[in-house]
Amino acid sequence: MLRFIAQRLLTAIPVLFVVILITFTLIRLAPGGPFDQERRVPQVVLETLNKRYNLDDPVHVQFFNYLGNLLKGDFGPSFKYPTRTVTEMISTGLPVTLELGFYALLFAMCIGIASGVVAALRPNSLQDYVPMSLAMAGICLPSFVLGPLLILIFGIGLNALPISGWNATPGDKILPAITLGAAYAAYVARLTRGGMLEVLSQDYIRTARAKGLSPLRILTHHALRGGLAPVVSFAGPAAAMLLSGSFVVETVFQVPGLGRFYLQAAFNRDYTMILGTTIFFATLIIIFNLLADILLVWLNPKLRENMLKS
Amino acid sequence: MSLLNVKNLRTSFYTREGQTLAVDDVSFSLNKGEVLGIVGESGSGKSVACYSLLGLVPSPPGKIEGGSAIFDGKDLLKLNEKALRAYRGNRIAMIFQDPMTSLNPFMRVGDQLIEALRCHNKTLSKKAAKEKALSALEEVGINNARERIDSYPHEFSGGMRQRVMIAMALVTEPELIIADEPTTALDVTVQKQILQLLKDLQASHDLAVIFITHDLGVVADMAKHILVMKNGRVVEEGSPADIFENCSHPYTRKLIAAIPQSAKPDEFKYDSSHEDFVEAKNVVTHFNNTRGLFRQRIVSTVKAVDDISLNIREGEIFGLVGESGSGKSTFGRSLIRLVESQAGDIRIGKHRIRELGNTSLREARRDFQMIFQDPYASLNPRMTVFDTLAEPLLLHKLAKKNEVLERVNHLMDEVGLERKHIRKYPHEFSGGQRQRIAIARALAVEPRFIVADEPVSALDVTIQAQILDLLLKLAKKHQLTMLFISHDLSVVRYLCDRVAVMQHGKIVEIEETEKLFLSPQQPYTQKLLSAIPRIHTN
């Protein structure tokens, strides 16, 4: 198992390198630079700034300098906010984003798995159609529609929940978490239904019934484990997406998370910030995919044994 | 008084096509300690009848329409789901066909046994249940059960898995066991062991057993009473002797006749003066298990085909038999380079197979074709019969666009399919018809040599007999040379001129078919032959 993890982490290095290379090249190719303003900046100032941030070096030199610093754990200074480093900025937004992402993930898993299982137990009945239609709606509704809608209903109409802020009033985390998690809940519901339907038609479920087990025990002890495999594969990348923050949800609910940095950085041509957030996001995806794979192996004894052998 | 008395059982399935009566007025009774055989082909309703008793028919679409099933004074059909659960696995246990899929792959076998015990006896401690499970596993012949109890199903071989399945049925000490094709997925020698085990356990526990099978030979010397089912109805019943000697229903006669026990019909015998058409010399095919970051280290090698030499004469049907894992399929595939072999020399007609480059191999493939076991899996489900058959014709430029339809129609005639079905998709055909399509596909390019890998083992016996006759006819008509791979010795005897027996990647014995069957020389061949379930008639 350790070998497997080590192997996967080793292969992550070239992946990250390519991600950095592509991002680095693309942002240099994009027109404009970090110091372009609406008003033209005097040539002298521009040159000084470029010199200050070593932007006057040849591109490949800049690239290797950046890599060198990265190896030391230095993501560089932000070009837009000269007093702060990229590391600082990511680490201030990170705790909030992680918390919000965690709640959203929790919401997505609980609601998604539950409704998927309910739907799979009686396929093609009302019990199937209602949750699955809701799930379809959940996938179709973008969060910039769902968020304001929830605010309108629960915040303004029912006056039941706070509509913005983070950690300011009790319950202010509920609406953003639901808004962020809704689409994922919908995907999880559909995947759970599909996985469960497949497992429930397996011969060993018939064996379990022939043993006289109760439906609940068949569900919990025989069906869920196999039925959730597709959910687990989806949960890896989904967790990475959720935990890296969402610009829309954070803006709608005034949450001081990471999400807004992505967009701002891109608009501002804040080279180091763009690279920093991209690397962060790529790393999250790699890690969570690895976690999902480990979980899948752990769930399936046959895979587990193959893994232990090699 | 009988233990189980089933009267006028009727079960339907409601589908989009309408209602089908899967079990139509079936009645039987069974005493304590008795064995009842239910024989029929797929779709005859034999399994559904037994599943109905325990409420295991999926509903919808299934529905029990009427009848009664009195088990020990209670009508099982009138019980609700919860009350039925007290019978399932407890007083009436089941053994299913394929132990690979019927055991939960995610659960240790011990836990699956313990679960069966504890769900009917809540007061039983985990430890006591484990002891019981252990003794059940030991009773069915699992060696060092104490270690194996914590294994997962995939860590057992097929036969051992079926033993676990039997232990699971036995562990609750039921009065009745329903065994649904318990040996169908197993090799013939393993089948013999499992049948013996079931027989022993039935006697020692004084069990009542309902034995469902498509193979009359399997139940012949076990059951006291046999029902023959067709299309949901019991068409004939009686003692084994009655069934085999005085059967009155034409279907039963057909079933018995379909069991190939005879030698190859004389009119189809090949002319042994012909030249060798296929020559294989010292063929070696190994599969390597590799490890390391770049899979560069070879840790173990499976010698699937280990130095095999044989010749097949022109027009000969050459049988290759062996149990699963013996390497017979790999050899067949190596011959026509669907699998790359590592060494040896292979000649088919004028082609030196191992020396062909990619392009010339593709062109040469016209001359040799393959027929697979499962036509459902090997036909593209998104192509109509016409597309499937036309593709090779166009690919090898054997027909012009405007001739294709005529050629395909002709192929349909040859394999005995009606021309009007030409625009249908594979799923619209029955298993036998699908295998006919697969045969037509292989014949389309007018090959000289065919590798047929278990082409009839997924089929019912009566269908099997039809396909075998079709193969014989076509082989003679087209002067085909054929390598016929099968685990079923009786099929091979009926079809093949010569037979090679394979074990562990090597050939044990090659002989003229009848000579081999009458006086097998090697111990392994003798063992295989003696394991064929036979119908003993006096």
Side-chain angles (χ1 to χ4, degrees):
Chain A
M1 197 60 169
L2 276 175
R3 265 187 81 94
F4 166 72
I5 296 172
Q7 233 173 52
R8 286 284 298 263
L9 288 178
L10 271 179
T11 48
I13 293 173
V15 172
L16 273 179
F17 177 78
V18 171
V19 166
I20 295 169
L21 183 65
I22 292 175
T23 319
F24 193 90
T25 319
L26 280 180
I27 52 180
R28 303 285 149 150
L29 287 176
F35 309 118
D36 292 339
Q37 306 272 326
E38 279 179 24
R39 215 154 45 87
R40 270 193 71 86
V41 182
Q43 194 60 32
V44 194
V45 179
L46 210 56
E47 270 168 23
T48 327
L49 276 170
N50 278 345
K51 201 170 180 64
R52 161 79 174 79
Y53 289 106
N54 299 325
L55 288 176
D56 53 350
D57 288 340
V59 177
H60 66 273
V61 176
Q62 290 182 39
F63 180 69
F64 287 110
N65 277 342
Y66 182 78
L67 278 187
N69 290 335
L70 203 59
L71 286 180
K72 288 181 241 152
D74 181 7
F75 284 83
S78 164
F79 289 167
K80 194 70 194 174
Y81 308 97
T83 52
R84 307 175 66 185
T85 63
V86 172
T87 319
E88 266 172 35
M89 288 171 70
I90 290 183
S91 52
T92 50
L94 190 60
V96 176
T97 291
L98 283 186
E99 197 184 348
L100 174 60
F102 176 74
Y103 293 142
L105 193 64
L106 206 64
F107 170 78
M109 287 296 157
C110 294
I111 298 291
I113 291 175
S115 45
V117 167
V118 165
L121 286 181
R122 286 193 178 278
N124 303 322
S125 68
L126 209 62
Q127 192 180 321
D128 179 14
Y129 294 143
V130 173
M132 283 306 115
S133 312
L134 281 176
M136 205 61 224
I139 292 173
C140 296
L141 264 187
S143 50
F144 57 81
V145 177
L146 184 64
L149 209 64
L150 288 177
I151 290 178
L152 202 65
I153 299 170
F154 293 99
I156 298 166
L158 299 172
N159 206 9
L161 290 168
I163 58 169
S164 77
W166 189 255
N167 246 346
T169 36
D172 60 3
K173 293 172 185 172
I174 295 177
L175 286 185
I178 292 178
T179 311
L180 185 57
Y184 294 89
Y187 273 114
V188 170
R190 290 172 63 85
L191 288 172
T192 308
R193 177 183 181 271
M196 290 301 285
L197 276 183
E198 185 168 338
V199 168
L200 286 173
S201 68
Q202 295 288 319
D203 288 347
Y204 63 84
I205 298 296
R206 185 182 62 192
T207 309
R209 292 185 63 210
K211 279 202 276 189
L213 302 183
S214 69
L216 184 69
R217 177 153 181 117
I218 293 176
L219 188 72
T220 54
H221 283 71
H222 290 270
L224 267 182
R225 207 169 182 168
L228 289 187
V231 177
V232 173
S233 327
F234 170 72
M241 304 278 273
L242 283 170
L243 295 177
S244 57
S246 149
F247 172 74
V248 175
V249 175
E250 287 176 8
T251 310
V252 170
F253 291 96
Q254 307 276 309
V255 178
L258 257 184
R260 60 208 155 99
F261 287 142
Y262 293 106
L263 222 63
Q264 281 171 11
F267 278 136
N268 295 335
R269 300 281 185 282
D270 192 343
Y271 291 164
T272 43
M273 192 67 197
I274 295 175
L275 277 166
T277 46
T278 311
I279 293 168
F280 173 71
F281 186 54
T283 315
L284 269 185
I285 291 207
I286 290 170
I287 289 175
F288 277 95
N289 272 326
L290 177 61
L291 284 179
D293 285 351
I294 292 172
L295 196 58
L296 277 178
V297 168
W298 179 76
L299 281 171
N300 187 336
K302 197 168 180 179
L303 290 177
R304 205 185 321 165
E305 184 190 305
N306 290 346
M307 196 63 72
L308 287 176
K309 264 196 215 147
S310 59
Chain B
M1 210 192 88
S2 54
L3 177 70
L4 174 69
N5 199 344
V6 177
K7 272 221 160 66
N8 310 106
L9 176 67
R10 293 169 69 229
T11 306
S12 314
F13 283 98
Y14 290 85
T15 56
R16 246 172 250 175
E17 284 82 41
Q19 177 193 359
T20 35
L21 209 52
V23 179
D24 187 4
D25 207 18
V26 168
S27 305
F28 57 86
S29 74
L30 183 66
N31 290 326
K32 201 166 159 38
E34 240 177 44
V35 180
L36 172 77
I38 304 185
V39 182
E41 306 196 315
S42 48
S44 63
K46 55 192 196 302
S47 296
V48 178
C50 292
Y51 292 178
S52 300
L53 303 179
L54 287 174
L56 289 177
V57 177
S59 160
K63 188 175 174 234
I64 295 171
E65 305 280 1
S68 64
I70 313 291
F71 179 82
D72 196 21
K74 280 248 166 55
D75 187 351
L76 294 174
L77 304 186
K78 300 249 161 17
L79 295 176
N80 64 19
E81 166 78 16
K82 193 161 178 229
L84 255 182
R85 282 213 297 273
Y87 284 85
R88 283 186 203 148
N90 189 21
R91 302 185 63 186
I92 306 175
M94 291 204 63
I95 300 169
F96 293 100
Q97 172 176 357
D98 186 351
M100 181 73 222
T101 58
S102 296
L103 290 170
N104 187 338
F106 302 117
M107 224 173 169
R108 294 172 200 281
V109 297
D111 291 338
Q112 301 193 43
L113 263 76
I114 291 167
E115 175 188 63
L117 273 169
R118 301 227 310 159
C119 85
H120 295 293
N121 186 354
K122 301 270 191 286
T123 56
L124 190 70
S125 75
K126 232 180 183 156
K127 218 172 145 209
K130 188 170 176 184
E131 285 309 313
K132 278 193 150 185
L134 268 174
S135 63
L137 286 173
E138 272 162 11
E139 192 174 3
V140 297
I142 305 274
N143 296 330
N144 49 6
R146 207 162 278 278
E147 286 162 40
R148 302 294 272 161
I149 195 166
D150 288 326
S151 306
Y152 288 96
H154 69 267
E155 296 171 83
F156 291 86
S157 67
M160 282 297 151
R161 243 181 261 139
Q162 194 57 290
R163 283 171 197 263
V164 170
M165 188 87 206
I166 294 171
M168 199 161 86
L170 211 62
V171 74
T172 52
E173 292 163 30
E175 291 138 84
L176 170 64
I177 284 187
I178 299 174
D180 186 4
E181 303 263 12
T183 59
T184 306
L186 304 174
D187 276 329
V188 52
T189 51
V190 182
Q191 162 167 304
K192 193 182 176 192
Q193 294 163 10
I194 296 288
L195 286 175
Q196 191 58 48
L197 173 70
L198 279 171
K199 223 187 266 178
D200 295 345
L201 291 171
Q202 188 268 331
S204 62
H205 290 250
D206 199 22
L207 282 166
V209 175
I210 299 179
F211 199 109
I212 305 170
T213 179
H214 68 278
D215 189 345
L216 267 170
V218 166
V219 283
D221 54 300
M222 193 169 170
K224 194 173 167 228
H225 196 79
I226 293 178
L227 302 186
V228 179
M229 281 187 71
K230 189 195 181 195
N231 296 337
R233 290 181 150 271
V234 176
V235 294
E236 182 139 22
E237 60 180 303
S239 67
D242 288 343
I243 297 279
F244 290 116
E245 280 152 38
N246 321 309
C247 61
S248 53
H249 197 277
Y251 180 69
T252 318
R253 257 182 257 142
K254 205 169 137 198
L255 264 187
I256 295 173
I259 306 173
Q261 331 185 44
S262 50
K264 185 168 181 168
D266 280 334
E267 72 219 74
F268 293 114
K269 286 261 164 67
Y270 79 119
D271 181 354
S272 57
S273 63
H274 279 287
E275 299 267 300
D276 287 338
F277 187 74
V278 177
E279 270 179 315
K281 268 201 205 97
N282 308 100
V283 177
V284 173
T285 310
H286 288 178
F287 296 112
N288 293 329
N289 285 324
T290 50
R291 266 182 222 167
L293 196 54
F294 304 103
R295 304 254 145 221
Q296 77 282 28
R297 264 187 313 128
I298 298 170
V299 276
S300 65
T301 302
V302 179
K303 296 178 178 173
V305 175
D306 194 8
D307 193 10
I308 286 190
S309 305
L310 54 81
N311 297 342
I312 306 177
R313 297 194 187 106
E314 186 161 14
E316 181 181 28
I317 302 185
F318 189 94
L320 190 58
V321 298
E323 300 187 274
S324 47
S326 61
K328 55 190 192 304
S329 285
T330 309
F331 176 68
R333 282 160 202 236
S334 302
L335 268 190
I336 56 174
R337 254 178 90 177
L338 287 179
V339 170
E340 291 293 336
S341 45
Q342 274 81 47
D345 187 26
I346 299 167
R347 180 180 70 83
I348 299 177
K350 60 182 193 297
H351 307 293
R352 307 206 79 85
I353 299 298
R354 277 175 46 82
E355 285 152 30
L356 294 177
N358 278 339
T359 323
S360 41
L361 176 65
R362 253 201 316 278
E363 279 161 16
R365 284 202 184 283
R366 233 200 91 176
D367 287 345
F368 40 90
Q369 287 290 313
M370 181 140 185
I371 302 171
F372 296 91
Q373 169 174 6
D374 183 355
Y376 197 44
S378 53
L379 291 172
N380 187 337
R382 286 182 183 77
M383 276 164 88
T384 62
V385 179
F386 176 79
D387 294 336
T388 299
L389 298 182
E391 188 182 46
L393 291 174
L394 295 169
L395 200 71
H396 288 283
K397 302 198 178 60
L398 293 173
K400 296 203 183 73
K401 271 252 161 71
N402 53 1
E403 302 163 356
V404 168
L405 182 65
E406 183 47 40
R407 289 286 293 268
V408 170
N409 274 331
H410 181 68
L411 278 169
M412 296 286 278
D413 296 343
E414 277 215 291
V415 297
L417 287 171
E418 286 183 64
R419 290 184 173 198
K420 63 178 182 195
H421 297 318
I422 202 166
R423 300 285 168 193
K424 284 190 177 172
Y425 288 91
H427 72 269
E428 298 174 85
F429 292 91
S430 69
Q433 287 174 319
R434 274 199 289 265
Q435 197 54 286
R436 285 173 194 267
I437 300 171
I439 292 171
R441 187 201 53 76
L443 285 180
V445 294
E446 295 165 2
R448 312 270 316 275
F449 175 57
I450 284 185
V451 175
D453 191 355
E454 304 264 11
V456 295
S457 43
L459 305 174
D460 281 325
V461 271
T462 54
I463 311 291
Q464 185 172 313
Q466 293 166 12
I467 298 289
L468 289 178
D469 284 331
L470 176 71
L471 282 174
L472 275 180
K473 219 176 69 201
L474 290 172
K476 186 179 167 94
K477 184 174 169 201
H478 296 278
Q479 279 294 303
L480 288 171
T481 308
M482 195 184 299
L483 177 71
F484 187 89
I485 301 168
S486 180
H487 71 281
D488 189 334
L489 293 146
S490 4
V491 165
V492 167
R493 184 174 192 180
Y494 182 70
L495 200 71
C496 300
D497 302 293
R498 281 190 306 153
V499 182
V501 179
M502 256 186 99
Q503 187 193 21
H504 305 318
K506 289 187 181 296
I507 286 186
V508 178
E509 191 166 357
I510 299 185
E511 195 48 83
E512 301 274 334
T513 309
E514 278 313 296
K515 231 182 195 167
L516 183 101
F517 273 78
L518 295 175
S519 57
Q521 296 302 310
Q522 297 299 319
Y524 180 69
T525 316
Q526 290 161 1
K527 194 175 137 203
L528 268 185
L529 289 174
S530 70
I532 307 174
R534 271 175 219 288
I535 299 160
H536 302 285
T537 44
N538 308 320

